[in-house]
Amino acid sequence: VQLVESGGGLVQAGGSLRLSCAASGLAFDDYAIGWFRQAPGKEREGVSYMSTSEGSLYYADSVKGRFTISTDNAKNTVYLQMSSLKPEDTAVYYCAAALTYYGLGADPREWGYWGQGTQVTVSS
């Protein structure tokens, strides 16, 4: 399994960014796919993930209504559309995948595959 993120950068507060994660070696039908982030001095946290086979969709409370996760199965790519960005969204964003199972949650320890991360910086 290989996950390669792109799309990070510097944006002003209120702006938008779209992150992409090209996945190889997995099928979205068998894996949950999602996004985590880690800000300096903080623990890695789940932002959003989805599992087609479990029919699950998760957003952290802090991003609900502002971020949208989606997939393009033909390209085996997952996206995170981020809008109304805030300075507190500044972090390294990681794409992650896990063999899906009932009860899989947003704890990073449950996720076995990770991309290299992409920096998102939101200026005030």
Side-chain angles (χ1 to χ4, degrees), residues 30-97:
D30 300 323
Y31 284 77
I33 190 82
W35 294 92
F36 291 72
R37 67 186 180 186
Q38 188 165 18
K42 294 188 176 181
E43 293 187 351
R44 193 170 297 189
E45 63 174 357
V47 175
S48 178
Y49 66 82
M50 60 190 300
S51 171
T52 300
S53 62
E54 293 294 326
S56 58
L57 179 63
Y58 168 87
Y59 289 101
D61 288 342
S62 58
V63 307
K64 282 180 182 176
R66 299 189 299 121
F67 291 12
T68 302
I69 189 171
S70 63
T71 60
D72 183 334
N73 290 350
K75 296 182 179 179
N76 233 38
T77 299
V78 58
Y79 303 98
L80 186 68
Q81 178 66 49
M82 305 185 293
S83 303
S84 302
L85 282 162
K86 304 175 182 179
E88 50 263 45
D89 293 318
T90 295
V92 177
Y93 283 71
Y94 296 90
C95 180

